[in-house]
Amino acid sequence: MTPNAHPQAATQDFIATVDTDVATALPRWREWIDGGASITVFQTERWLSAWYATLGAQAGRTPLLASIARRSDGRVLMALPLVAEQRDGLRRIGLADLGVSDYAAPLLMPGCPDDAPQVRAMFAALRKALPRADLLAIEKMPETIGARANPLLHLPGVRASALFGNPATVGDDFDAWRFSREKTHRKELERSWRVFTRHPDARFEQVSDAGQARRVMDALEQQQRSAISGKGWAYILDEPGYRDFYRKLVDEGLASGEVVLTALIAGDEVVAALLGLRRGGEYAMIRIGSAAGEWRSCSPGRLIIERTMAALHVQGVRRFDFTIGDYAYKKGFMPDQLDLFDLAVPLSWKGRPHTLWLGLRHRLRRWSQTHPRLHARLAQAREAWTRARAGRQASA
């Protein structure tokens, strides 16, 4: 396939197009998003631009920006930011992720059908347009995208994910929400703020200056590296592509407010830092780091979250997403559980054993849920594996 190939494939009702030239394709995606497409914060034009320029541009990976249109009038109904790569002996196609996108979702344009027969016909057109591969796998799909149902859940091969999201909706009265949390949690945060502000130059800061952002990101990376490596888990964010991705995201998204970087600072020291994404009234946390040693007494990780939520609430944010991971520091904020789903479709005989294994693993997980002690042990092992794989959030 040449770099600018635009293969098309049609079924009776739908036609799919796959672009491999990101620079040409993304402006159209921006138009779809501006035109009312339903997405999560992990499918914005800013996120995808940074992802395809760094992680998606590494050797062996081919961008596949797919769109599906109604054949009768050419109106685009759905788009999927995909990538192809060779891994574990299989040619795989998946959504733009590689451990950094907490939610995988298509762009849903107004008028996109949500009944199973039409969704499967759309998917049939997509399969014809995709290059040869062994497996299509999309992990961590939410049940809804914005206010709309996720049509991909109608496809065969969808199973409940082992992971889940952690969103919290806050009403117009932030103090009322804060007082609705457990008293011990609230009192501990109040005590932590008093301890932190005993330092003569202690402050909370929402970073807007580019130079300050680089300094805060340096500290966040060092804090995460120390916390995760100290627990014996793999830390992948120093690997090629990952650091470039986050730095590009911050450099290009901070001024517009799409990327939010906050910090607790004492004198010249960054005590805690939190990186997140904002889209309208929604905010999602994606990386957090906090200093160890004497600063542990003021729980800086939890404190930076609470102070960030309070600041963004004033700016109009009402939905705060702690994203995936069953981390201890999230529990005191009492977020809701957002169920996620995985899709695995074999595209060749080589991909079929993998999907069979995924099906077996799903059945074993459902069986373990009827045995609480075994389920708890498996959940702990799964969480350790997830942290080792992603290595993105350090426990506060």
Side-chain angles (χ1 to χ4, degrees):
M1 182 183 297
T2 62
N4 297 311
H6 300 163
Q8 289 186 334
T11 57
Q12 183 176 357
D13 298 315
F14 303 101
I15 184 168
T17 302
V18 176
D19 288 303
T20 57
D21 184 357
V22 177
T24 300
L26 276 185
R28 290 196 295 273
W29 288 52
R30 187 185 310 122
E31 293 176 3
W32 296 332
I33 293 170
D34 292 343
S38 296
I39 58 172
T40 81
V41 294
F42 298 99
Q43 286 81 47
T44 65
E45 190 270 338
R46 180 80 63 191
W47 180 271
L48 294 176
S49 177
W51 194 92
Y52 280 114
T54 54
L55 292 167
Q58 291 186 316
R61 292 177 182 148
T62 303
L64 304 171
L65 290 99
S67 59
I68 307 171
R70 193 162 42 217
R71 193 174 187 182
S72 59
D73 58 9
R75 181 178 178 181
V76 175
L77 302 171
M78 179 190 295
L80 297 97
L82 302 171
V83 64
E85 65 173 336
Q86 189 78 23
R87 179 156 51 91
D88 300 330
L90 297 177
R91 185 66 175 169
R92 297 167 176 255
I93 295 176
L95 256 72
D97 182 6
L98 299 175
V100 299
S101 299
D102 286 73
Y103 304 138
L107 279 71
L108 301 182
M109 267 56 85
C112 181
D114 184 40
D115 61 285
Q118 290 194 75
V119 172
R120 294 179 182 184
M122 292 172 67
F123 186 71
L126 174 64
R127 286 191 63 168
K128 290 183 178 180
L130 291 173
R132 293 185 62 181
D134 302 308
L135 179 70
L136 172 66
I138 303 175
E139 300 177 337
K140 303 171 295 185
M141 295 190 299
E143 191 170 5
T144 59
I145 304 168
R148 303 179 61 186
N150 185 351
L152 295 185
L153 300 191
H154 287 303
L155 297 176
V158 172
R159 301 178 177 88
S161 174
L163 303 174
F164 56 88
N166 294 272
T169 301
V170 180
D172 291 337
D173 190 334
F174 186 80
D175 283 337
W177 174 84
R178 189 165 58 86
F179 274 85
S180 71
R181 306 303 91 178
E182 293 182 356
K183 183 178 180 179
T184 54
H185 174 76
R186 173 168 49 85
K187 290 296 185 182
E188 175 60 22
L189 283 172
E190 292 172 356
R191 184 202 65 82
S192 296
W193 182 247
R194 289 195 300 271
V195 172
F196 174 66
T197 53
R198 286 174 188 164
H199 191 286
D201 193 22
R203 63 194 185 276
F204 166 82
E205 182 176 330
Q206 185 170 338
V207 181
S208 58
D209 177 74
Q212 176 72 333
R214 286 189 287 272
R215 192 172 77 87
V216 171
M217 284 298 296
D218 285 341
L220 188 156
E221 290 170 352
Q222 188 278 325
Q223 290 163 357
Q224 284 195 315
R225 186 184 304 110
S226 297
I228 293 176
S229 300
K231 294 179 180 181
W233 299 330
Y235 182 72
I236 68 171
L237 298 187
D238 283 337
E239 294 180 5
Y242 284 93
R243 188 175 188 274
D244 295 338
F245 165 70
Y246 286 108
R247 292 303 177 114
K248 185 175 180 64
L249 190 67
V250 171
D251 289 346
E252 298 181 354
L254 202 65
S256 67
E258 294 172 85
V259 176
V260 179
L261 182 61
T262 52
L264 295 179
I265 299 175
D268 294 327
E269 182 178 1
V270 177
V271 178
L274 178 61
L275 179 64
L277 306 173
R278 179 180 177 182
R279 185 169 188 265
E282 179 180 359
Y283 168 78
M285 308 168 202
I286 58 174
R287 292 186 69 177
I288 185 171
S290 59
E294 61 178 331
W295 290 112
R296 287 191 182 277
S297 62
C298 66
S299 301
R302 293 177 178 86
L303 197 57
I304 185 65
I305 291 174
E306 192 264 349
R307 292 288 146 169
T308 300
M309 292 178 69
L312 292 180
H313 187 271
V314 173
Q315 299 170 29
V317 175
R318 294 295 181 266
R319 189 175 191 269
F320 297 87
D321 200 328
F322 293 75
T323 60
I324 64 170
D326 190 18
Y327 299 97
Y329 69 84
K330 301 179 182 181
K331 298 185 186 300
F333 294 95
M334 299 172 62
D336 298 323
Q337 179 171 316
L338 176 67
D339 292 333
L340 301 175
F341 299 85
D342 299 337
L343 170 68
V345 179
L347 302 178
S348 76
W349 65 268
K350 290 179 66 176
R352 193 166 298 278
H354 184 81
T355 56
L356 292 174
W357 158 242
L358 290 178
L360 175 61
R361 190 175 69 181
H362 174 70
R363 288 192 291 273
L364 288 172
R365 185 166 63 245
R366 295 292 296 271
W367 175 81
S368 75
Q369 291 173 348
T370 64
H371 300 74
R373 187 172 298 178
L374 174 61
H375 182 68
R377 291 181 178 179
L378 290 174
Q380 291 173 356
R382 184 168 60 245
E383 180 176 337
W385 177 85
T386 300
R387 287 180 174 181
R389 183 185 179 194
R392 292 189 302 118
Q393 288 183 316
S395 178

